[in-house]
Structure formats: C-alpha cells, structure tokens
Amino acid sequence: MQEKLRIAIQAKGRLNEGSLKLIEEAGIKLVIGRRNLVSPAMNFPVEVLYLRDDDIPQTVACGAADAGIVGENEVLERRENVTIVKRLGFSKCRLSLAIPKQVDYPGISWFTGKKIATSYPQILASWLKEKGITSEIHVINGSVEISPGIGLSDAIFDIVSSGSTLVSNRLKEVEVVVASEAVLVAHPAISEIQRAVLEEFIFRLESVQRAEGKKYILLNAPNEKIPDITAILPGMKSPTVMPLAESGWSSVHSVISEDDFWEVIGRLKKAGAEGILVVPIEKMIF
Ligand code: PRT
Ligand code: ZN
C-alpha cells in the first residue's frame, strides 16, 4: 500500500511560489531537483509532483496524485471527483463578466444572444443557465481579454484580480460570477495512512495561519492596575499574570491581533502598563 502522500502543485506560474511556501511553513523539506517531475521530502512522508494547474484536478481525481494545490476556478471548471479539504487564502481572484467600457449596461439581460469569450465555459454555462440567459460561448485559451477589441466576441468571462488588464483593454467588469482562491484538494478515497499524513499537513498549516496577524505582548504593571489591564487583553484564554521580583508589580503576557494593535497599546498605556514588549509569533498550537 502506498504510504506516502503525493501532492500535486503547479510547476510554474502564479500558484507555484505560494504552494512551495506552504510546504516549507509546514516544516517539510523537499529534495529539489529543479528538473525533476517529482520531489520527495526528507523529513515527512510526502512527495511533490509538479504539473500544469489545468491538469491537477484530473490527476488527483484519477489517483495519480493523492492531493493537490490548485485554484478553485480550475476545480469548478473541470468538475472532477476531488474534495476541497482546505481553502488556502492565497491567489485570490474572481471570475467575472466584462464588456466594452463605452457600452451602457442595463443588467444581465444584456448578455442574451451575445458572444462571450472565455477559457471557463462550464462555469459560465451553468451560471447563464441559472439566470435563464442564452448566450453564445466562444472558448479560447489565453488572451481572452483582447477578443472584444478585435471583434471576436461582445464580452469576456475571465479571471480578474486587480482589474488593470480590463482597464488596459477598455473593458469594464459588470458581473462577478464566482470568487476563487488556492485550495487544497484530495482524492476522495485515499488510504487511512495517507489521510493521517494529510491531516498532519493541514494541522501544521493551520498552526501557521493562526499565528498570522497575531503578536505576543508582554508588559509590566503595578498590581492594582492588573484588573483593568487584563480586561483590555482578551488573549487565547485569560492572560498570564506573573509576579515581578519588585514587590507590588506583575508581568502580563497575552496574544493580540494586529488589526486593533495600536488601539490596544494606547488603552494599555492609559491603564498603567509599562515596559511593553511586542514579539512575533511563528506558530500557534492548541
Ligand atoms: O502553465 P499553467 O497552465 O500551470 O498556468 P496558467 O498560465 O494556466 O495559470 P496562472 O499561473 O496564470 O494562474 C494560476 C492560477 O492563479 C489561476 O488558475 C487562478 O486561480 C490564480 N490567479 C490569481 C490568477 C490571477 N490571480 C490572475 N490575475 N490567474 C490569472 N490571472 C490573470 C487573468 O487571466 C488575467 O489575464 O491575470 C489577468 C488579470 O489580472 P488583473 O490583476 O489585471 O486583474
Ligand atoms: Zn493553466
């Protein structure tokens, strides 16, 4: 029985760097032979298979790989039998309909009878069907955005991220059909041993993700101020409070989120905190 978990990732392109970063953050060290199709790991029962992103859903569905990291857009388009086991939060984009910018857009009825160029015909067809709109879908691979300009189509359905490709091709986004991000997919029937490896991989990713945007804070305060200070610091559980060598003083430790960081620091200072120290957190394990 195959005990290693074979994970397919994109060989080159937008997802490659983010996928390798996740693998590295999970503490997995790959034997990287740049020209190899497969890299085994030195310290974890995993091997990485490098593929074109378009081929990842099918490779996982047929079991040639046990798991894969791929854009959700490809998973939705290919309709292969794979399970999304974790959303990964990078390579965020959306699949949208765009039309020439000078056209007045009355609503989705505009698309009736129009020719739409796309590399995602399945997603588009099911969306149009759901909305009761009949259009002509023209499948092209690559440079979809130039097709209205050269008279090949009336509109496009494509990936949008910053929107600058649309602007430079004199197009405007009129309907967002689906949001996408990188996802971890798995073959539906992997062995129990492989599932345990996959779960350990996910556990490690979650420990790193949980620490993102969080800081560890240490401060000193006179004992009578501690109740006010601990009320400001929610932390994971209640904050840790330890007596200092100097009598009547304590040290408080907690975890705070970067989002409201400066506001919390301001309140802590007002409440009597001194010697505030803020340090990064690499991983958080519950
Ligand atoms: O060679 P291979 O087949 O593996 O790669 P590929 O060329 O098919 O894919 P690649 O590397 O371009 O993209 C891989 C995945 O990244 C996609 O399937 C999406 O899930 C995700 N992603 C995220 C994007 C974008 N952002 C993106 N902006 N994929 C493509 N784009 C393109 C889009 O097609 C359009 O041409 O960028 C342009 C729009 O970008 P903005 O920023 O101008 O709006
Ligand atoms: Zn591709």
Side-chain angles (χ1 to χ4, degrees):
M1 193 201 288
Q2 167 71 266
E3 294 190 359
K4 272 191 183 175
L5 186 79
R6 182 182 272 190
I7 306 178
I9 69 165
Q10 191 188 29
K12 4 183 224 299
R14 287 185 164 86
L15 296 167
N16 172 267
E17 201 182 311
S19 308
L20 286 172
K21 185 167 163 258
L22 285 187
I23 289 167
E24 190 195 317
E25 283 174 347
I28 301 171
K29 294 204 172 13
L30 298 177
V31 182
I32 303 206
R34 272 265 152 221
R35 289 181 187 286
N36 291 355
L37 182 65
V38 182
S39 288
M42 290 183 264
N43 58 350
F44 200 66
V46 148
E47 58 187 15
V48 170
L49 178 66
Y50 300 97
L51 297 177
R52 287 198 57 184
D53 67 342
D54 317 50
D55 297 330
I56 293 175
Q58 192 195 6
T59 307
V60 174
C62 76
D66 310 300
I69 297 175
V70 67
E72 197 179 359
N73 48 304
E74 289 299 331
V75 178
L76 294 172
E77 180 62 24
R78 309 274 155 191
R79 298 174 170 198
E80 297 283 354
N81 186 18
V82 298
T83 313
I84 294 181
V85 288
K86 177 144 183 69
R87 312 181 72 79
L88 298 170
F90 68 95
S91 264
K92 287 194 174 169
C93 57
R94 54 199 187 269
L95 275 165
S96 294
L97 281 158
I99 65 172
K101 80 168 193 216
Q102 71 281 5
V103 173
D104 278 336
Y105 181 66
I108 55 174
S109 61
W110 183 86
F111 288 99
T112 304
K114 295 284 196 304
K115 199 168 178 183
I116 310 171
T118 188
S119 313
Y120 295 91
Q122 299 289 350
I123 299 174
L124 178 58
S126 56
W127 187 81
L128 289 170
K129 192 170 168 214
E130 187 193 305
K131 301 285 174 191
I133 306 277
T134 310
S135 313
E136 192 187 325
I137 299 177
H138 185 67
V139 181
I140 44 178
N141 293 308
S143 304
V144 171
E145 65 280 359
I146 63 166
S147 64
I150 58 172
L152 212 61
S153 70
D154 302 303
I156 66 164
F157 175 61
D158 200 8
I159 293 177
V160 181
S161 168
S162 67
S164 64
T165 303
L166 294 183
V167 171
S168 57
N169 286 280
R170 309 182 138 271
L171 298 168
K172 62 179 176 189
E173 185 177 10
V174 292
E175 299 288 343
V176 176
V177 170
V178 67
S180 174
E181 64 186 272
V183 291
L184 178 64
V185 292
H187 181 72
I190 55 176
S191 73
E192 246 172 74
I193 297 173
Q194 289 172 323
R195 180 149 310 273
V197 176
L198 184 66
E199 273 165 17
E200 173 66 20
F201 180 55
I202 293 171
F203 166 76
R204 292 184 183 191
L205 294 182
E206 286 175 348
S207 303
V208 175
Q209 274 177 353
R210 219 174 277 133
E212 274 166 15
K214 298 271 196 327
K215 300 279 178 205
Y216 195 71
I217 182 167
L218 305 94
L219 58 89
N220 298 332
N223 287 346
E224 67 273 16
K225 307 268 168 101
I226 296 295
D228 286 351
I229 287 176
T230 53
I232 299 169
L233 291 170
M236 279 192 285
K237 289 196 182 133
S238 62
T240 310
V241 181
M242 284 179 292
L244 288 182
E246 190 178 336
S247 84
W249 280 72
S250 293
S251 164
V252 180
H253 299 198
S254 190
V255 173
I256 59 172
S257 148
E258 241 163 4
D259 299 337
D260 50 9
F261 178 79
W262 288 112
E263 194 222 315
V264 170
I265 297 285
R267 289 169 61 204
L268 289 171
K269 275 166 61 186
K270 254 194 213 143
E274 289 178 20
I276 302 174
L277 210 65
V278 177
V279 290
I281 301 172
E282 201 175 295
K283 296 180 183 72
M284 271 168 74
I285 294 148
F286 293 147

